[in-house]
Amino acid sequence: AWSMSASAVFVLDLKGKVLICRNYKGDVDMSEIDHFFTLLVQQEEEGLLCPVMSHGNVHFLWIKHSNLYLVATTNKNSNASLVYAFLYKLVEVFTEYFKELEEESIQDNFVVVYELLDELMDFGFPQTTDSKILQEYITQQGNKLEVAKTKVPTTVTNAVSWRSEGIRYKKNEVFIDVIESINVLVNANGSVMSSDIVGSIKLKTMLSGMPELRLGLNDRMLFALTGRDKGKAVTMEDVKFHQCVRLSRFESDRTISFIPPDGESELMSYRINTHVKPLIWIESVIEKFSHSRVEIMVKAKGQFKKQSVANNVEIRVPVPSDADSPKFKTSTGHAKYVPEKNLVVWSIKSFPGGKEFLMRAHFGLPSVENHEMEGRPPITVKFEIPYFTVSGIQVRYMKIIEKSGYQALPWVRYITQSGGERRFA
Amino acid sequence: MPYLGSEEVVKELRRALSNPNVQADRLRYKNYITKVIRYMTQGLDVSALFMDMVKASATVDIVQKKLVYLYMCTYASDKPDLALLAVNTLRKDCADPNPMVRGLALRNMCNFRMPGMTEYIEQPIVAGLRDKASYVRRVAVLGCAKMHSLQPNTEIGRDINELEWCGLLVDLCDVFISCLDSHSDGTHSLQMKDLDSWAQSEVLTFLLRYRPRSDDELFDILSLLDAFLLSSHAHVAVATLRLFLHLASAHPTVQADALLRTSAPLLATCGAASRELRFAGLCHVQQVMRSQPGLFGTHYKRFFCGYSEPSYIKFRKMEILVELVNDENVALVLEELRSYCTDVSPELAQAAIAAIGRIARTYSEKCLDILTGLLGLKQDHITSAVIQTFRDLVWFCPQSTAAVCQTVGACVDSPQDSEGKQALLWLLGEHGDQISSAPYVMEGYIDGLKTELSSAVKMELLTAAVKMFLCRPAETQDMLGRLLHYCIEEESDVCVRDRALLYYRLLQRGVEETRKVVTGPKSDPSMSVLTGRQEEPISDTDVTLSSPDDAEEEISLSLGPPLSHETFEKMWLDLETLHRQTLGFPRPRAAPDTLQAALQLVKIQTLAFTPGDTVPWKAYIYTRSTETLILAELLQGDQQAPGSDESLVVSVKQQPVNQHAIRGFVSVLKSVLQTLNVDTL
C-alpha cells in the first residue's frame, strides 16, 4: 500500500524516552515506539546502524539532532525521502522557534511544540511548513534557550612541545587501543553492590613528520563525553585528554583533533559510573563437614554476547588455611591449589559468552576448628575480552593528514579487562 | 507508564479545575490546563479529568482550546461515552465565526478514532467543504479521508457536485486533478509548479490511483509531469519516478527513459547534506541499477566513501561500486576499495575485502594481487576476511583456483576466528592436492583440537582431513587417525562425534567408497532422489526458475547436422584450445555403446574414441549451442598431459567463441560422465 509519509511522529531523548509525540493516522500502535531504542542500541552494537529500522511490519525512520531522536513510524511503503525531508523540516521550524533545539527546549515549550505538530502535518500529509506563515498562526513566543557560548581561547603558541620534528618511519601506522576495565562487587545474595568502568584510549604512534590526527567516536559516546544530555544517558566522569588534544575544537564541534606524541601515549581516559552486571557470573556452594572435609562447587557463566570470548580467565576461590589433600574436577580448564595464599585458582584459557562451566574441589580438614576466625574472603575473577567494550564506545574513524601526503594505517583494538570482579560467598 | 502518586495528582488537579475561584482567574485556570497536558505528555493517565477538561474548551483563548482538543483526541478512544458528550461542544465550535476555530474543531473532531463517530462528523465535514475559508476546506477534505479510513464504505458529500469537488481539490493542493484533463494546455502544469514540494508529492501519490482512459491521456499526463523527474526535491523526483514506472508499466522504453532522466537528481541526492537522504538516494540508485546496470558506471567517483560518513552509507556505496564496475573504472574502483580494507572498523574492512572478492569473479588477476597483498598486513581480521573471500571465489570462479592455492600455500598466518578457520580448512580439504603445505597446516589444527571451542570448525576439520586423506593418504593417515580418535572418544559435542563416527564407518567401507561419497560431484542429477523429482535429461531441465545468479547454467545443447571426420579434424587443428579442465574423476568404464547413447541423450555427439583399455584413452565429441559449435577432446593416461593419469582431462575448442556456452557444456558433460561412473562402479 502507498502512503504519503508518517503515521506518527515522536521526539525521544538519548535514553529512548518519549518526550512528546503526535499520532497522525492511528494505523500504527503508539506503543510500538518502545521497540525503537532497543533496536537502535542493538544495531549500533553490531555496527549496522541504519536510518530505517523495522519491527514486525512497523518501520521507524529517524534522524538525530543534538540530544534528540526524531522518529516517524509507518506501516506502509512510504516515500522515505519525503519523511526525512519532513523530519529535517521539523528541526528547522523548531530551531527557528526555540533558537536551539534540544531536550530542554522541547520540555520548556511543549505547548508550542504540540501546536506546531498539529499544523505541520495532518493525517500523514505535511501541511504548512513555512515558519513565517506559521508564526502568523502560532504567535506564542517560545522560551528561547540561552546557549552559553564558552569560548576557550585557542592556544597562541605554535610550538608543539610534546613532539619533536623530523621523525621518520618507513611504514606509517598508528595503533589505537580502547581498553576498559570493569570493577564489580557482588554480595552473597547476588546483588551488585558497586560497579564502574574505567576506560582509556591508548595510542602507539609510528608516524613520520607532524601529522594531524582526527579521531571520530560513535555519537552515543560523544554525547556522553560532552555531557550535553545532562545526566540522562551514560555519564562519563573524570574525562581527561592528553595535552595534545585541541580542547577548543572539541568544545565547538566535538572533534577530537591533535598532533600526537611519538610512540606510546594515553590520548584520553574516563570513568563511567553505571550499573554493570558481572561479565562472568559466579555461584558457589561450600559445604564443610566438621573435622573431616570441605567440598566446594563453583559455577561460572559468561554473561556477555555469544560471539565474544574471554581469555585467560582466572577464578580464585579462597579455602580454609588448614585444608589439605586437594582433589579437583573441572568441566573445562584446570584448577590448582596455592597453599601459601589459601586459594584454589581455576584457570580457563578461553571462555565463550553464554557458556557455563563447573569446578568441584574436595579438601581434607584436620580436627582443629578455627575457620570462623578467618572471615570469608570473596571469590575474585580475572579475564580479558578482546573486540568488546562494556560502554559501547567505538572508534568510527581516524583521519591522518600529513603535509607530505603519505598513506598511513590506523588499527584499532578493543579490550575489556576485569579490574577485579568479586563475589562474596 | 507507572507513575508514583498519580491518583493524588489527578485528585488535586480535579479539585483545582472545579474550583470556582480558579475558573474565575483565566490565567490560573489555563495554567492548570497546561499542567494536565504536561502530565499527559509525561505518560501519566489523566483521563479521569475528561469532563473537567471538556468544560475548559469553552474559552476564547485559542491556545487553551487547542490543548483541550489535544486532550480529547488522546483519550477519546478510552472514554467513548464521554467523548460523545464532547462532540456537541466541538460541533458548536465548527460554527464559530473565527475560521481558525472552525478548522481546529473540525480537524480534531475527525481525529476522534472511535466507532460510531462518522454519523456525528459527516454533517460538519460537508459544511466544512463549503466553508468560505480555505483553511477550513482543506481540513474538511482531509476529514473525508479520515472518515473513509474509519469506515471505508461511507460515501461523503453525495450532494456535492463534480464542479465543487474540483474546486475543493484545488483547495487541497490548489490544483491537482485538473492535470488529468486530457485537454490540458500547459497552464495546469504551471500551477503544479506553484505548489510547494509537499503538495507536489501528494499529487503524485494520488495519481498512482488514477487509471488513464487511453494511451493519449497517459502520455499527456507523463509529458505534463516530465519536468518533475528533475525536481531538486528528492522526494518529488522519486515520487514522479514511481508514478512513471507505475503508469508506463506497458511501455518499457518510457520506463527506461524515466530511469535515465532521474539519474541526475538521484546522484544529487546521493550527495545531499543530510545523511539519511543520502542513504535513501543510494538505496534508490541500487534499485535503478537492477534494471539499468550500466547507468552509473561513469559516475563511480560519486560512490567513493567520505571518511566520516556513517557505516550504513559506506556499506551501500561499496555494494554499488561492485555493481557498476567496468573495464574503464575497474582500476580506480579497486584502488579505492583497497584503501577501505584497512578501515578502523573491522566490519567495514571485511565488507571491502568481500567487495573485492565479488569483483574478482570478473577481474580476477588484479583482485588476487590486492587480496594477496592484504595478507602481508598480518592483521587477524583482514587475513580471515581474505581467506573467506578466497573460498567463495574458488567456488564461483574455478579458474582462479591455482592462483588462490599458491597464495594460501605461501601464507604463514592462519585466521584466528572460527569463520576464517572454516574457510581455510575448506580450501585445504578441497584443493589439498595443489597446496603443498596443506598437511602441515592441518596437523597444527589437529594438535590444537583440545583448545578449539567451535564445533563448526571441528566439523570442517573432519571433512577437510578426510578429503585430504583421499588425495594425500601417506601424509594424512596418521593425523586423521588421531583426529577421529579424539572426536569419537573425547569430544563432548554430539554433532561432531556423530560426524566423526560417520566418516569412520565410511572409511571402514574402503577408500574408493569414501571417495565416491566425499568427493562426489558438486551437483548431481541423481540428487533428484532428495527432492523427489523425476530424473530427467539435463537438457530438458526447466530453466525458467533460474535467477540472474545461476544464469551461468542456462544453456541448451543441440545436435544439429552431423560433422564428418575430415571437417572435425580440420577444425580441431585450426582452432585454439579455449578451455582445459581436469574433471577430477576417471573415465567411465561403461560399454562404448552406453557411453555414446548417454552423451547423445544430452545432445553431445561422439565422433570417435579409443577402444577398451588402451592407454592413453581418448574421445572426440562435439555439440552445438546457440549459434556456436563446440569441439572437445577427453583424455586419460597421457604422460604429457598433466593431471591426466588419474582423471579425465577435457580440452574444448569452439567457433565462434562463447565462454558462457563452454561453461554450460562442461557442466553438462561432467554430470553425464559422473552419472555413468556411479552406475558402473
Side-chain angles (χ1 to χ4, degrees), chain A residues 13-52:
Chain A
D13 70 8
L14 278 186
K15 277 201 142 180
K17 199 185 116 206
V18 177
L19 296 174
I20 207 159
C21 61
R22 175 82 207 206
N23 188 357
Y24 289 111
K25 293 196 76 168
D27 57 354
V28 175
D29 191 335
M30 292 298 273
S31 64
E32 286 286 340
I33 194 67
D34 298 344
H35 301 292
F36 168 77
F37 196 65
T38 325
L39 279 169
L40 185 89
V41 171
Q42 193 188 327
Q43 289 199 345
E44 190 174 16
E45 274 171 8
E46 291 164 0
L48 298 168
L49 203 59
C50 180
V52 195

Side-chain angles (χ1 to χ4, degrees), chain A residues 11 15 23 38 52 67 73 89 111 117 119 174 202 206 212 249 252 279 292 301 308 394 400 424:
Chain A
V11 180
K15 277 201 142 180
N23 188 357
T38 325
V52 195
N67 52 3
T73 53
K89 196 75 198 177
V111 173
L117 286 175
E119 293 294 339
V174 50
K202 291 187 172 156
M206 296 155 81
E212 176 71 49
R249 192 69 204 282
S252 68
L279 294 176
S292 61
K301 184 164 194 272
S308 292
Q394 277 173 2
I400 304 163
F424 284 93

